[in-house]
Amino acid sequence: MLGRYWYRHFAKKHFPALQESRLLYFASNDDSTEETESSNDENNTAENDILHITNEVNADINATQNDILDTLLTRESTKDRVHELRKRVQNLIKEIQTGKDPELQKVLNDIKSWHEGIEVKLFLIERLLAKQKEWDDGHLEPKGYIDAINTFLKQTEEDCTVSLEEDMQNISSEEWIKKPKEEREEIQRKVRNSMQRQKQGNILKGANILANAIEDELDSKDIDLSALLAKDHPQESNGATLIESIRSKISNIKLISIMDMVNAGKKYMEATKNAWTKRSERVSAALATQLSSTLRFLPLGNEVYAELSVLRESKNEEEKKQQKELMEQNNTPFQEAIRTLRQHQGNANKFNGALEYLAEHGWLYDFDPQSKTAFGISIPIPNGWTKTAHQEYLMRTLSTDSGSGQDSQKSRMENLIGTADAIEPIVELLEQELDNYNYWGAHTALDIAMRKGKIGESGTWITTVFLSHLRKNPDARKYIPIDIHDQLGNIGIVHPAWTPTFLKVNRKKLEAWQKTNNPERFEYGGILAKTIDIVEKDIRETFGSDKEIQKKFGPKMTLDRLVAKVLSAQTVSKDGKSVSIFASKYNQYRHTIMTSDTSIDAGKADDDFYGNVSDAHLIGLGGIRVILRTSTRGIFEHPTKANNYLANIFEIDRNLEEANLTEAQKNFRTDMQSKLNKYFEEEIAQHDATAKGWLTRTVSDKNPKKVGTSLNVVKEFLHRGMLSQYSYDKAFQKSEKSEAA
């Protein structure tokens, strides 16, 4: 047996510098943290239960975070305030930019940083509002809605959660969507009633109250500096320079007095004391729980053990929450969050706090709940947890948070894009989000570009930017999951601009290439990757380096966009030189698209999109049938889209001819004939009214030299070799005989 006061001697021996006689910690003997299951194990002697003493003396000191999320605003109640604030800051930036003092740039950076901080503070409430909208529209299942509310409550330090009745917890998203509208509305009513009973009737009420409470703080930060920039006040009366006056008035935190330093020292000492106290309480709770486990045979032993277990869990949760809140407050970027994980491998609570932070931001890219690893790091098990409890935490809590984080990234991107329908700003935002490791934002960028895009390379440009980032950034190759390729490809499947579908079709080859971590082997990532590689070489050989490209095509032109133009069937020409996807070297690529089974929806693209040459002109017979579908009376179902599509067929042919790309023009006409022959033979020959409509159908000639002229579609097809004489006769002979009669 151990001697009396053994722990004092032990602590003094191993911690002589501190001479701390209470640094004791019990840990489990086996690899798991399973609670003792048999009475024999529970009655083991103290020598077998006490295994080691931890060296957690150097625990991180984290000051109490009383102001976390204090400036969170709701979009509804603060929209006008934020708009006014943003306008003032922008006006101030303009005024400062006109100043002659070179140091004014420093002031400009201060103001920009403050402005960016205001924008960041809106993110969490916008995420909740997005979930609220999904719920109100009937698209979000009950558990997903309640999880979103609880996540918001945690992040706003509300000491409460909302629970859901058991019969609603198991409704999956697929089951929810399939339920009749009336049944969903009834369940929503029950959820509302349940929330009211839990005193959470209106989850957004707290956010509005919070917004009102910080109105004074926002006003104090919104300092009007225009007077300081007036020409008749180059210097303050006290002798201070203009730049010093501006910097001192931007924010009161820039002014530091002796008392500020004294108070800061006091705060630090208090925080140090609090951190040590909390650590001591956590370690003591773990120690007491482990000890009580061996004494459960005593009277009230089980009750004591249960109470101490709850206390231990409370301390674990407190430490985890503190770590996550610290990262939220600091707006910790992705790379730093990964470093934080590695720093806390020996502290399961802080590790889980960092892990949840990553999940809620949609950054849990490298996470395997089966092998219990995240970013190649083994996930530690908190003290007292069973293997089953830990697996449940990984499979449910973290996976759910990760899904919500992905949705938040998508919502954030949609909010950033706003009402923009031009592709240029969407591409700029996408590049920023990719640089910040917000990979799920690419999904929203592609979706909006494909829906609203008014240029032919809308979808191909987003695709080339995404793949270009993947090639240039080793972290992207390491972390971007195959699910993202899959979801991006799903957007392309139903769109006339079909190119992004290759991200799904070639996902296995792309994943295999990513694992090689070799950008030089990109061409092995599937047919699209191989074609992009060839197009890039073709463009560089034809037009030169990136600098030469910008000199020839303009400062905003990039290699990615030129590649996108080529992939979207546009002829890229400059100074008598041209590149086209209809060159023979791209026959395999075009043939792959033409022979792919497509199920597009012509309505997925804007009318203006069809007004441009696009990769919709590369799709096969299935796509042609949908875009040119007519009623029994021979009228197009989508007249504007169809007529624009037809006019651009002749535009492609004209561009190839003017570029003197004879071989490419011949390939284009051959491709069109293989599709149009079948279309007219199978779709038109059977309906006399439809055939008659086609014989008289005309479209505008887009040749700027022939403004106001029209082209007879069928005659032009026949004349240019896009429709064979045999197929023409088969489709229209009956109609022509009828007309003659």
Side-chain angles (χ1 to χ4, degrees):
M1 295 293 290
L2 294 175
R4 192 178 183 186
Y5 304 131
W6 62 271
Y7 51 88
R8 293 186 181 176
H9 302 295
F10 191 100
K12 288 180 179 180
K13 177 181 178 182
H14 291 276
F15 300 91
L18 292 173
Q19 294 296 301
E20 174 57 64
S21 60
R22 292 169 296 169
L23 294 175
L24 304 178
Y25 185 83
F26 290 131
S28 176
N29 189 29
D30 56 13
D31 292 335
S32 73
T33 55
E34 295 282 358
E35 300 297 346
T36 308
E37 297 179 356
S38 67
S39 60
N40 290 333
D41 290 333
E42 292 173 358
N43 294 324
N44 282 338
T45 61
E47 297 99 315
N48 294 327
D49 290 321
I50 303 169
L51 302 175
H52 67 274
I53 295 180
T54 185
N55 59 352
E56 289 184 327
V57 179
N58 294 321
D60 294 335
I61 305 295
N62 295 326
T64 304
Q65 309 296 329
N66 293 322
D67 295 327
I68 295 176
L69 303 178
D70 276 352
T71 52
L72 188 66
L73 310 177
T74 63
R75 190 163 47 191
E76 289 88 348
S77 64
T78 62
K79 183 177 180 180
D80 292 338
R81 292 183 225 165
V82 173
H83 176 73
E84 181 182 354
L85 179 62
R86 184 180 289 114
K87 188 175 180 180
R88 288 185 196 173
V89 174
Q90 291 172 346
N91 289 339
L92 182 58
I93 291 173
K94 289 180 181 178
E95 289 188 63
I96 294 176
Q97 286 175 329
T98 60
K100 298 180 179 180
D101 193 326
E103 291 197 29
L104 282 173
Q105 187 62 37
K106 298 178 181 178
V107 179
L108 179 62
N109 291 336
D110 287 338
I111 294 176
K112 282 185 176 180
S113 297
W114 176 53
H115 179 228
E116 290 172 0
I118 292 295
E119 297 295 336
V120 169
K121 291 166 189 174
L122 296 173
F123 172 64
L124 289 176
I125 191 64
E126 288 177 335
R127 181 168 62 181
L128 178 66
L129 291 175
K131 288 294 181 183
Q132 184 71 45
K133 185 178 186 304
E134 286 186 55
W135 171 252
D136 293 340
D137 293 344
H139 300 153
L140 184 64
E141 74 280 4
K143 186 179 184 306
Y145 177 56
I146 296 301
D147 285 344
I149 290 175
N150 285 332
T151 298
F152 176 76
L153 292 174
K154 288 179 183 178
Q155 292 167 335
T156 53
E157 291 191 315
E158 293 290 338
D159 189 19
C160 61
T161 56
V162 180
S163 60
L164 189 64
E165 295 178 10
E166 189 173 351
D167 60 333
M168 299 182 193
Q169 290 181 356
N170 298 324
I171 301 177
S172 67
S173 58
E174 292 80 8
E175 293 172 336
W176 176 253
I177 295 299
K178 292 178 181 179
K179 287 182 179 294
K181 182 179 179 182
E182 296 76 14
E183 186 176 348
R184 278 184 286 167
E185 290 176 346
E186 176 62 21
I187 294 175
Q188 287 178 324
R189 184 186 64 78
K190 290 180 180 179
V191 171
R192 285 194 295 270
N193 292 340
S194 175
M195 289 177 61
Q196 289 174 352
R197 290 194 296 271
Q198 298 175 65
K199 298 182 180 180
Q200 290 293 343
N202 184 359
I203 189 61
L204 298 180
K205 184 184 294 183
N208 282 289
I209 294 173
L210 182 61
N212 294 332
I214 63 173
E215 176 70 24
D216 292 338
E217 181 181 348
L218 282 175
D219 289 341
S220 69
K221 289 184 178 294
D222 185 20
I223 301 173
D224 184 7
L225 301 179
S226 57
L228 297 174
L229 295 167
K231 293 181 179 179
D232 57 343
H233 292 287
Q235 186 168 332
E236 292 290 331
S237 59
N238 62 0
T241 63
L242 172 63
I243 191 69
E244 289 171 344
S245 299
I246 295 176
R247 290 187 68 81
S248 67
K249 294 182 180 182
I250 279 183
S251 174
N252 55 8
I253 65 172
K254 301 291 182 184
L255 303 175
I256 301 176
S257 66
I258 295 297
M259 286 307 300
D260 291 332
M261 294 297 293
V262 172
N263 290 331
K266 289 181 178 179
K267 290 288 185 183
Y268 180 81
M269 294 305 295
E270 290 174 7
T272 302
K273 183 179 179 181
N274 288 337
W276 180 260
T277 300
K278 289 179 179 179
R279 177 211 166 275
S280 179
E281 289 175 352
R282 177 176 57 80
V283 173
S284 298
L287 168 64
T289 305
Q290 202 72 352
L291 183 60
S292 68
S293 176
T294 67
L295 301 176
R296 290 166 72 173
F297 62 91
L298 295 176
L300 298 179
N302 287 326
E303 288 80 357
V304 172
Y305 172 75
E307 185 168 340
L308 289 174
S309 294
V310 172
L311 176 62
R312 178 193 61 200
E313 274 308 298
S314 174
K315 298 302 178 183
N316 285 346
E317 183 67 23
E318 181 181 2
E319 188 175 34
K320 181 187 75 173
K321 182 180 179 182
Q322 185 185 42
Q323 177 63 40
K324 185 165 66 171
E325 288 174 346
L326 178 65
M327 297 175 74
E328 288 283 2
Q329 185 193 39
N330 294 337
N331 197 27
T332 304
F334 173 80
Q335 286 285 50
E336 189 175 333
I338 300 300
R339 287 194 291 270
T340 301
L341 275 185
R342 300 189 186 283
Q343 290 169 2
H344 295 306
Q345 291 181 67
N347 187 319
N349 298 326
K350 291 188 176 183
F351 188 95
N352 285 345
L355 205 58
E356 289 184 15
Y357 174 84
L358 283 161
E360 290 171 10
H361 284 72
W363 289 338
L364 211 55
Y365 301 121
D366 186 5
F367 170 60
D368 187 350
Q370 296 298 332
S371 63
K372 300 181 178 62
T373 60
F375 301 96
I377 309 168
S378 180
I379 301 174
I381 304 177
N383 180 269
W385 280 27
T386 64
K387 282 184 176 180
T388 302
H390 191 230
Q391 187 68 27
E392 181 74 6
Y393 170 75
L394 299 178
M395 294 295 292
R396 291 183 66 85
T397 303
L398 281 180
S399 295
T400 299
D401 286 351
S402 182
S404 299
Q406 294 170 18
D407 293 339
S408 296
Q409 274 194 30
K410 295 175 183 178
S411 298
R412 169 186 163 82
M413 190 64 176
E414 188 162 7
N415 292 332
L416 287 172
I417 293 173
T419 58
D421 54 10
I423 303 303
E424 288 84 354
I426 296 178
V427 169
E428 290 179 8
L429 288 169
L430 172 61
E431 290 174 335
Q432 293 172 15
E433 291 297 281
L434 291 175
D435 287 340
N436 291 325
Y437 298 88
N438 296 324
Y439 300 134
W440 292 104
H443 179 276
T444 301
L446 180 62
D447 183 41
I448 293 177
M450 299 280 268
R451 281 190 283 111
K452 295 184 177 181
K454 299 183 182 300
I455 58 175
E457 68 268 24
S458 297
T460 53
W461 194 7
I462 298 294
T463 303
T464 55
V465 167
F466 177 76
L467 290 175
S468 180
H469 180 81
L470 198 60
R471 296 165 72 182
K472 296 174 182 177
N473 191 315
D475 282 341
R477 293 194 296 276
K478 183 177 180 181
Y479 295 133
I480 288 182
I482 200 65
D483 289 350
I484 290 183
H485 297 304
D486 222 31
Q487 291 195 27
L488 291 173
N490 287 338
I491 296 174
I493 286 177
V494 296
H495 198 281
W498 196 80
T499 305
T501 309
F502 279 118
L503 293 172
K504 181 181 182 74
V505 176
N506 296 154
R507 62 186 182 277
K508 290 185 178 179
K509 290 185 177 181
L510 279 169
E511 184 180 28
W513 164 70
Q514 278 182 238
K515 289 180 179 179
T516 67
N517 197 28
N518 184 354
E520 301 301 323
R521 294 182 61 81
F522 175 65
E523 62 182 296
Y524 298 102
I527 185 67
L528 176 61
K530 179 180 179 181
T531 303
I532 288 176
D533 186 68
I534 298 174
V535 173
E536 285 182 349
K537 293 175 182 176
D538 202 354
I539 289 174
R540 292 193 187 281
E541 289 174 1
T542 306
F543 303 116
S545 65
D546 289 352
K547 289 185 178 180
E548 290 175 305
I549 287 172
Q550 291 182 340
K551 186 177 180 180
K552 293 175 180 178
F553 293 91
K556 292 186 177 181
M557 183 57 68
T558 63
L559 177 63
D560 287 338
R561 185 167 188 181
L562 280 184
V563 172
K565 285 177 173 290
V566 174
L567 292 176
S568 59
Q570 299 175 40
T571 303
V572 177
S573 300
K574 202 70 177 179
D575 300 332
K577 298 180 180 180
S578 303
V579 175
S580 171
I581 197 68
F582 296 102
S584 296
K585 67 178 76 173
Y586 303 114
N587 284 351
Q588 182 186 4
Y589 175 73
R590 298 195 317 277
H591 180 75
T592 301
I593 296 179
M594 280 197 299
T595 56
S596 295
D597 186 17
T598 57
S599 54
I600 70 165
D601 179 352
K604 287 292 182 179
D606 191 273
D607 282 354
D608 291 336
F609 169 80
Y610 287 93
N612 298 279
V613 173
S614 71
D615 46 333
H617 292 91
L618 300 178
I619 55 178
L621 178 61
I624 293 284
R625 285 191 177 119
V626 173
I627 296 172
L628 302 182
R629 183 176 292 146
T630 60
S631 66
T632 53
R633 294 182 298 162
I635 301 173
F636 285 133
E637 289 188 4
H638 302 282
T640 302
K641 293 177 172 61
N643 285 320
N644 284 341
Y645 183 82
L646 290 170
N648 278 309
I649 291 176
F650 303 125
E651 180 69 2
I652 294 173
D653 192 64
R654 181 180 69 83
N655 289 336
L656 292 171
E657 184 172 346
E658 290 184 353
N660 293 317
L661 297 177
T662 306
E663 182 188 54
Q665 185 182 27
K666 180 180 178 182
N667 290 337
F668 171 64
R669 291 179 173 183
T670 300
D671 289 351
M672 291 306 304
Q673 186 184 106
S674 67
K675 295 182 282 188
L676 293 176
N677 279 353
K678 291 182 179 179
Y679 172 75
F680 282 107
E681 288 179 26
E682 297 173 5
E683 299 291 322
I684 307 305
Q686 308 300 323
H687 306 93
D688 189 47
T690 304
K692 289 179 180 178
W694 269 102
L695 286 172
T696 57
R697 179 164 286 118
T698 60
V699 294
S700 298
D701 190 343
K702 299 186 72 172
N703 188 338
K705 298 178 181 178
K706 299 180 180 180
V707 177
T709 61
S710 298
L711 299 171
N712 181 287
V713 175
V714 174
K715 288 183 179 179
E716 288 295 327
F717 282 160
L718 189 62
H719 170 70
R720 301 182 190 220
M722 297 181 187
L723 179 66
S724 70
Q725 186 66 51
Y726 172 81
S727 296
Y728 174 86
D729 292 340
K730 188 173 181 180
F732 298 109
Q733 196 172 35
K734 180 179 178 182
S735 295
E736 289 178 338
K737 288 181 178 179
S738 176
E739 288 291 331

